[in-house]
Amino acid sequence: LLRSSQPLTGPNRKRCREDEMLLGTVLDEGERGFIIDTRSAQAAKQARMTGGGTEPKSSYPQWRRLHRPLERGRPLQESFIKLVEACNDTSITMDRWLSRLESCRWLSHVKAALSTACLAAQCMDREEASVLVHGAEGTDTTLLVTALAQVILDPSCRTLVGFQGLLEREWIEAGHPFHLRCAHSAYSHARLKQEAPLFLLFLDCVWQLSRQFPFSLEFGECLLLTLFDNAYASAYGTFLCNNEKERCLCKVQQRTHSLWARLNQPGQKQQHLNPLYSHNALVIWPSVEPQSIQLWQGLFFRWIRSSQHLDEAWAEIQRLTEGN
Amino acid sequence: VENVRLLDRLSSRKAALGTLYLTATHVIFVENGSETRKETWVLHSQISSIEKQATTATGCPLLIRCKNFQVIQLVIPQERDCHDIYISLIRLARPVKYEELYCFSFNPKLDKEEREQGWKLVALNEEYNRMGVPNNYWQISDVNRDYGVCDSYPTEVYVPKSATAHIIVGSSKFRSRRRFPALSYYCKDNNASICRSSQPLSGFSARCLEDEQMLQAIRKANPGSDFLYVVDTRPKLNAMANRAAGKGYENEDNYSNIKFQFIGIENIHVMRNSLQKMLEVCELKSPSMSDFLWGLENSGWLKHIKAIMDAGIFIAKAVAEEGVSVLVHCSDGWDRTAQVCSVASLLLDPYYRTMKGFMVLIEKDWVSFGHKFNHRYGNLDGDPKEISPVIDQFIECVWQLMEQFPCAFEFNERFLIHIQHHIYSCQFGNFLCNSQKERRELKIQERTYSLWAHLWKNRADYLNPLYRSDHSQTQGTLRPQIAPCNFLYKFWSGMYNRFEKGLHPRQSVTDYLMAVKEETQQLEEELAVLGERLANLQKSQLNDNNVNSKQQDRCKQLGLSTSNNSLANTPQEYSNDLKSFPSRSSSQGDEEDSALILTQDNLKSSDPDLSANSDQESGVEDLSCRSPSGGGCLPSEDSGKDSDEAVFLAV
């Protein structure tokens, strides 16, 4: 599984021998690879006008390109804001709730993200083909797909430590601009241009997986909520800045504490673990039918509705499994 | 008929080839294939509709829709055969005599005494005693002993002490279908009660002294309150319209000390259409999130569920918090009234949240009070306008509550689903006919078996591992949040997509936790035994070897390790959403093929997993009887022998 940003083909259909050779080294003679472009075919084509573009088939003959448009940027942030507004709206009646939920489009984004990640996973696991994922910048939807695909494919990414490693690798080191993306969240009136909840979308998708595979993730909802909180506001330096370079310049490692260190302390660790966890060596293929994708109530109703009864249920599950 | 194909809804490519059989009671599809002779059994009683679709090159498609939401798509090679099957099924699915129903031939190989004992398992007189009646305020009346007063009521009803036979009879004449106010639930802590009836025949201005006295009697039976709630579960407009037909609702001016309230649950026709629309959404091929949410909202189904729940909550609050008695009615007092009374009882009394208590609740508010099972669920061929998913809605309300209060119910989702299944299956005699009178005339108890006994025998499958009778969630009244939309109602895919294995989590948390619980219990017992033996060490020779081997066997038997075999699952078709990308456009050199579908030509030729997806039990749910003698009618769910997924219903 590879990731990059878009090739700078431009309006004149530039070629780059080095880029073609680099991708050529990935595949053996006669092997085929897939390029998953997270922009629509039209958007990818239009990108040429501003210097970007797609890999032309003639120059990359062994690669087959698939377009799976995923929402990003301002529209995704709007979707998030609308959903939070809808959840907070005390005047909605039952006969309007679902269409209101639908108009936010958030669940459609979850479905699309999961489907695309599954497609990447399917290419690798079933086709045994290499996959290159990119959008425009390679810092948003690209990372969403590659990280999610790994949770689906790789059991080691589903352990507590493995998942942290995945986040470190595919989101933080890969350069997802947390500082820009996770600035003000859903209540702010300042609609910042660079703000977008890609990371939250990723966490939501992971939550969907945990619901569909209750035994396969070593961590529970509590961890996902903690990560969501810390991405936006944190006592730790883990999610600071936009990339490794900035973190170096700010001397983050010398001047702050790591969230991972905190999470892995014995006392903290316990509350983030899933009592039902049992190592599952296989690939987990989620259902992306609408019935299978649910609103993450633990997040979106967190401050609106008491989770007392569900917490009690988890406490009971904990008690039962501990006793064993 | 041979060479019939059974299609999978989620993937039309995955068809099974086999032979179709029609018997007197079932449709059976047996798949060809050496290792797994997979069988799909469908009871004729379950068939809701049969649709013959346009003949294609591959054959004649036949779509069978079942009342338990199973949808079977067959392709019959010859048009003539297809037509014959169609005609036969139409006839078989619409019996005209009760004797044609499966319950009269079903033989679980029990003797006469066992059959009798089975029927005695749920005894309503014991239930009323448990509630605390008869007492100073309430008495049993046998005024209806020969069904002379009301033929849809039971022979024994509970009425206020001050309600004489004269009052009861007078009141019954003023009520639709003679269904006079009678006790449904009595709360001994504060003497508040829930009574039920049908609408009064008040028209615009008619009055009835006895009926007014009846309500007074109910009010007086609760000395703690000086008024009585009268709850009409219909929308106000409908109730008012009824007045023109000489019926209607209670006028607060005429009945002393009542507070009247409309709750607004729609009628059976609206509900029938609502379910229909929702099922259409379920049948969409590869719907988008939009399609699904819009479709679900358009059906109005969850709105109706909420309306029933809200009514139950209102009544439970009146009884538990205000200590005020409530009289509930709709039009005839056998649909919405039953739903609302049973939801309220469930909220109020933890007993009804136990397995036994739930059976008792259904027996009381649905069976004994004359809910028209035959008309509503089509035991026999009848008026399609009488069909309506009334009890299905009640069962869903229970499920919604279970999702909100996971520790509060002794039983699990599977229990509810199996009950719903058997209401339609007519395999047992509990839900036949329209009234107690009809059932006695047909001698149901002597000629059929009780579902309750059957479920009770298999109760280990139906337990909720999170239930503890001493838990705070289990005790007292359940108080779900109502407004504003806080009690979010979920789509019950475990029921409405029950047979689509690909939709559900691969492993059942319920089953796992039950196994854990059992093992813990056994280990604790073992510990106790060992403790004793240790204490007796000096007295006798102890053979440690015996104990060790027993332990090993037990652990093996429990098979607790979630082994790899049971977790395997296969990908669905992630590329199937054709709407999300443009169709294959005419290539323009660098224009890539954006509509790649991982079709079979792209994939490796022998991909065993894909061909075996949702293989086992597509339609062979554990309820389908393996033989008419029904020895193993409800086997517990099986992890398939093949390496592929064992699919369970989610908790």
Side-chain angles (χ1 to χ4, degrees):
Chain A
L1 185 62
L2 304 147
R3 49 176 157 78
S4 70
S5 53
Q6 65 180 322
L8 299 175
T9 324
N12 299 321
R13 312 221 181 152
K14 271 188 285 179
R15 284 182 66 166
C16 171
R17 299 290 306 136
E18 291 87 346
D19 192 77
E20 290 165 31
M21 279 166 62
L22 183 58
L23 281 187
T25 61
V26 173
L27 299 177
D28 287 335
E29 198 72 39
E31 260 189 2
R32 194 181 47 165
F34 292 95
I35 298 176
I36 296 181
D37 191 325
T38 60
R39 303 166 294 178
S40 66
Q42 197 175 11
K45 199 166 162 194
Q46 276 174 357
R48 278 199 282 153
M49 299 310 144
T50 46
T54 56
E55 296 82 350
K57 176 138 194 199
S58 46
S59 316
Y60 300 83
Q62 286 173 278
W63 295 86
R64 191 128 183 228
R65 183 155 40 94
L66 311 173
H67 285 275
R68 288 293 181 276
L70 294 179
E71 197 66 86
R72 75 206 68 204
R74 186 85 72 90
L76 190 65
Q77 181 71 6
E78 286 301 322
S79 172
F80 175 43
I81 292 172
K82 275 176 100 171
L83 177 58
V84 172
E85 267 171 19
C87 294
N88 278 327
D89 188 343
T90 52
S91 69
I92 305 187
T93 51
M94 195 63 220
D95 56 347
R96 290 275 169 270
W97 164 250
L98 291 173
S99 54
R100 180 78 181 265
L101 181 62
E102 192 285 322
S103 71
C104 302
R105 308 276 306 145
W106 182 260
L107 293 179
S108 299
H109 299 320
V110 172
K111 181 181 197 296
L114 275 173
S115 302
T116 309
C118 287
L119 181 63
Q122 207 169 9
C123 291
M124 292 181 66
D125 185 75
R126 297 285 151 148
E127 287 290 278
E128 290 179 2
S130 294
V131 176
L132 169 66
V133 183
H134 71 74
E137 303 299 302
T139 54
D140 294 276
T141 53
T142 304
L143 305 181
L144 175 59
V145 173
T146 57
L148 212 47
Q150 289 176 61
V151 177
I152 289 169
L153 286 167
D154 187 354
S156 65
C157 289
R158 294 181 224 132
T159 63
L160 183 60
V161 166
F163 188 67
Q164 290 171 20
L166 176 73
L167 294 175
E168 190 64 41
R169 205 171 56 243
E170 294 300 313
W171 285 92
I172 297 172
E173 285 174 10
H176 178 70
F178 278 97
H179 178 66
L180 289 171
R181 297 284 180 269
C182 300
H184 292 162
S185 191
Y187 289 138
S188 167
H189 293 295
R191 307 284 223 245
L192 299 176
K193 222 169 103 157
Q194 289 287 340
E195 174 138 25
L198 270 312
F199 187 59
L200 170 60
L201 185 56
F202 168 71
L203 294 175
D204 196 328
C205 291
V206 175
W207 180 80
Q208 305 289 340
L209 288 173
S210 76
R211 237 189 30 89
Q212 294 195 28
F213 298 93
F215 297 89
S216 301
L217 300 183
E218 195 185 18
F219 47 91
E221 185 183 54
C222 186
L223 178 72
L224 300 176
L225 291 173
T226 301
L227 290 169
F228 168 69
D229 289 340
N230 279 277
Y232 282 90
S234 180
Y236 303 88
T238 306
F239 289 106
L240 280 180
C241 306
N242 289 312
N243 47 53
E244 279 302 279
K245 178 178 176 189
E246 285 183 20
R247 281 185 278 275
C248 268
L249 287 173
C250 293
K251 297 204 196 336
V252 163
Q253 286 203 5
Q254 291 89 316
R255 298 165 65 193
T256 68
H257 292 282
S258 158
L259 177 63
W260 309 138
R262 168 81 170 143
L263 287 178
N264 293 329
Q265 281 174 353
Q268 279 296 299
K269 201 170 170 178
Q270 202 45 41
Q271 70 179 117
H272 292 114
L273 289 176
N274 169 16
L276 296 171
Y277 176 65
S278 163
H279 175 76
N280 175 2
L282 302 172
V283 177
I284 51 174
W285 299 108
S287 158
V288 296
E289 295 295 309
Q291 296 93 319
S292 306
I293 297 178
Q294 290 191 5
L295 179 64
W296 186 5
Q297 294 194 15
L299 182 97
F300 292 105
F301 283 94
R302 191 173 176 195
W303 312 112
I304 300 168
R305 199 153 54 104
S306 160
S307 61
Q308 177 197 351
H309 305 297
L310 298 174
D311 292 341
E312 284 172 0
W314 275 107
E316 191 59 28
I317 292 176
Q318 189 96 35
R319 198 187 67 90
L320 285 173
T321 49
E322 263 167 21
N324 189 50
Chain B
V1 177
E2 295 180 337
N3 295 317
V4 172
R5 292 212 319 282
L6 176 67
L7 304 183
D8 179 304
R9 186 189 87 81
L10 284 179
S11 159
S12 45
R13 285 186 278 116
K14 293 161 196 173
L17 193 66
T19 309
L20 189 70
Y21 300 86
L22 251 62
T23 72
T25 48
H26 291 80
V27 181
I28 309 169
F29 177 81
V30 182
E31 197 177 312
N32 295 344
S34 41
E35 336 98 30
T36 50
R37 252 178 65 93
K38 250 186 17 223
E39 300 179 356
T40 305
W41 289 59
V42 178
L43 270 170
H44 294 316
S45 330
Q46 288 285 4
I47 297 177
S48 168
S49 71
I50 309 145
E51 190 186 320
K52 226 173 73 150
Q53 294 170 324
T55 306
T56 64
T58 48
C60 309
L62 197 66
L63 195 63
I64 302 175
R65 291 188 179 87
C66 299
K67 301 170 187 173
N68 63 0
F69 312 113
Q70 187 169 11
V71 178
I72 300 195
Q73 178 132 37
L74 300 166
V75 180
I76 322 280
Q78 298 286 349
E79 213 277 317
R80 201 181 335 117
D81 290 331
C82 184
H83 187 72
D84 286 344
I85 295 172
Y86 175 71
I87 296 294
S88 308
L89 282 179
I90 296 265
R91 173 62 187 88
L92 289 165
R94 295 180 190 166
V96 290
K97 289 197 320 270
Y98 279 109
E99 283 71 16
E100 296 178 55
L101 295 177
Y102 185 34
C103 52
F104 291 100
S105 55
F106 171 58
N107 178 11
K109 307 239 172 23
L110 299 171
D111 63 35
K112 193 166 142 235
E113 205 184 302
E114 283 168 312
R115 189 211 301 255
E116 243 181 76
Q117 281 306 108
W119 282 105
K120 292 208 174 100
L121 183 68
V122 173
L124 284 184
N125 55 333
E126 280 171 30
E127 170 54 16
Y128 284 106
N129 289 344
R130 183 199 71 87
M131 275 191 229
V133 295
N135 64 4
N136 289 336
Y137 304 112
W138 294 90
Q139 59 175 342
I140 307 184
S141 169
D142 67 347
V143 71
N144 198 39
R145 63 188 163 279
D146 298 314
Y147 304 106
V149 177
C150 173
D151 63 0
S152 60
Y153 264 9
T155 48
E156 285 185 356
V157 283
Y158 283 77
V159 293
K161 261 280 166 63
S162 52
T164 62
H166 172 76
I167 290 176
I168 297 172
V169 173
S171 169
S172 78
K173 293 191 178 139
F174 194 64
R175 292 276 164 181
S176 175
R177 318 277 183 181
R178 315 283 222 92
R179 293 170 67 85
F180 56 88
L183 181 70
S184 166
Y185 180 73
Y186 172 70
C187 178
K188 58 173 167 267
D189 295 336
N190 59 12
N191 296 311
S193 65
I194 303 176
C195 292
R196 55 183 291 179
S197 71
S198 57
Q199 65 184 322
L201 303 175
S202 50
F204 287 101
S205 59
R207 292 181 70 160
C208 168
L209 179 64
E210 290 84 8
D211 193 71
E212 290 167 29
Q213 287 172 331
M214 188 68 180
L215 265 63
Q216 252 200 59
I218 294 173
R219 180 179 56 81
K220 291 217 188 100
N222 179 7
S225 171
D226 53 10
F227 72 96
L228 171 73
Y229 275 118
V230 175
V231 168
D232 187 329
T233 58
R234 297 170 293 181
K236 184 168 181 181
L237 229 55
N238 297 20
M240 286 172 64
N242 265 286
R243 284 194 297 178
K247 304 179 202 174
Y249 54 94
E250 294 81 351
N251 186 338
E252 273 182 358
D253 298 331
N254 298 342
Y255 292 83
S256 57
N257 302 318
I258 66 163
K259 277 201 190 145
F260 188 83
Q261 184 96 14
F262 281 114
I263 301 261
I265 301 171
E266 301 290 346
N267 65 32
I268 55 166
H269 310 294
V270 173
M271 300 309 193
R272 182 178 57 248
N273 289 330
S274 177
L275 178 65
Q276 179 60 31
K277 285 207 187 125
M278 186 170 73
L279 293 178
E280 280 167 19
V281 175
C282 294
E283 279 193 38
L284 291 174
K285 291 252 187 309
S286 302
S288 66
M289 207 70 217
S290 269
D291 294 335
F292 178 72
L293 291 173
W294 271 106
L296 192 56
E297 183 163 279
N298 271 339
S299 75
W301 181 258
L302 292 177
K303 179 184 71 170
H304 299 312
I305 297 291
K306 180 175 195 292
I308 296 164
M309 191 79 81
D310 285 349
I313 293 171
F314 174 84
I315 293 168
K317 246 180 161 184
V319 169
E321 289 175 26
E322 296 179 62
V324 178
S325 296
V326 187
L327 170 65
V328 189
H329 70 77
C330 45
S331 296
D332 294 324
W334 47 40
D335 294 312
R336 287 165 281 194
T337 301
Q339 291 173 326
V340 158
C341 287
S342 38
V343 170
S345 303
L346 196 69
L347 292 171
L348 283 167
D349 194 332
Y351 176 65
Y352 298 126
R353 291 175 235 136
T354 63
M355 212 180 284
K356 185 85 184 300
F358 190 69
M359 297 185 204
V360 166
L361 182 65
I362 293 183
E363 195 64 39
K364 175 168 70 77
D365 275 311
W366 295 83
V367 178
S368 80
F369 270 103
H371 176 67
K372 296 197 298 173
F373 283 94
N374 178 26
H375 283 176
R376 292 289 172 265
Y377 313 118
N379 305 153
L380 302 180
D381 190 30
D383 182 0
K385 291 226 163 7
E386 290 278 337
I387 303 275
S388 192
V390 183
I391 203 169
D392 305 60
Q393 287 182 319
F394 163 65
I395 291 172
E396 177 162 344
C397 285
V398 182
W399 177 78
Q400 299 282 357
L401 282 169
M402 272 169 50
E403 290 285 293
Q404 281 289 303
F405 300 95
C407 300
F409 292 80
E410 190 188 30
F411 48 86
N412 61 28
E413 182 189 34
R414 186 183 292 136
F415 187 61
L416 294 177
I417 292 180
H418 285 195
I419 290 177
Q420 191 267 2
H421 177 98
H422 282 302
I423 286 169
Y424 289 97
S425 77
C426 301
Q427 185 176 328
F428 300 90
N430 309 62
F431 310 113
L432 256 45
C433 307
N434 288 327
S435 65
Q436 192 190 71
K437 174 169 188 252
E438 285 181 27
R439 280 184 289 274
R440 288 201 183 160
E441 280 166 5
L442 272 180
K443 299 207 197 324
I444 293 293
Q445 293 198 4
E446 285 120 86
R447 300 162 70 193
T448 68
Y449 295 85
S450 169
L451 173 66
W452 302 139
H454 178 83
L455 292 178
W456 189 250
K457 197 169 70 161
N458 293 308
R459 60 189 175 282
D461 290 340
Y462 301 123
L463 291 172
N464 169 18
L466 301 182
Y467 175 77
R468 269 174 33 218
S469 54
D470 60 343
H471 196 283
S472 61
Q473 237 183 72
T474 13
Q475 292 167 343
T477 311
L478 281 186
R479 290 188 165 81
Q481 295 169 287
I482 16 164
C485 212
N486 272 337
F487 186 156
L488 274 186
Y489 293 81
K490 298 189 212 160
F491 172 77
W492 192 5
S493 70
M495 172 67 85
Y496 305 111
N497 292 126
R498 180 176 163 200
F499 294 95
E500 291 176 56
K501 304 296 187 182
L503 247 49
H504 306 297
R506 251 47 188 176
Q507 292 165 283
S508 162
V509 177
T510 302
D511 291 342
Y512 172 73
L513 290 173
M514 280 312 300
V516 168
K517 227 178 167 176
E518 268 176 50
E519 193 197 19
T520 305
Q521 209 168 341
Q522 289 189 15
L523 288 174
E524 281 170 358
E525 285 167 12
E526 185 94 350
L527 201 65
V529 168
L530 287 176
E532 264 183 60
R533 289 199 178 190
L534 205 62
N536 290 338
L537 193 58
Q538 289 169 338
K539 294 181 188 170
S540 59
Q541 283 283 28
L542 184 63
N543 189 348
D544 276 345
N545 291 336
N546 281 344
V547 174
N548 283 341
S549 60
K550 267 195 211 141
Q551 265 182 322
Q552 278 169 14
D553 291 341
R554 199 165 293 134
C555 283
K556 271 199 217 133
Q557 271 172 36
L558 288 168
L560 260 189
S561 57
T562 47
S563 68
N564 287 345
N565 282 348
S566 62
L567 293 180
N569 77 334
T570 52
Q572 65 169 92
E573 287 163 22
Y574 297 110
S575 321
N576 233 3
D577 186 358
L578 293 169
K579 293 191 197 108
S580 69
F581 49 83
S583 57
R584 292 175 180 230
S585 55
S586 51
S587 224
Q588 297 162 8
D590 63 342
E591 198 76 63
E592 258 305 316
D593 216 358
S594 47
L596 173 74
I597 301 175
L598 290 178
T599 58
Q600 247 157 9
D601 4 280
N602 290 338
L603 298 168
K604 294 190 297 202
S605 53
S606 58
D607 192 326
D609 282 338
L610 274 183
S611 62
N613 189 27
S614 42
D615 50 355
Q616 48 138 164
E617 278 95 45
S618 62
V620 177
E621 217 273 341
D622 55 350
L623 287 186
S624 311
C625 280
R626 300 229 141 226
S627 71
S629 62
C633 260
L634 283 173
S636 50
E637 292 188 55
D638 211 358
S639 26
K641 290 187 214 123
D642 31 332
S643 63
D644 251 338
E645 63 276 29
V647 181
F648 300 97
L649 292 171
V651 91

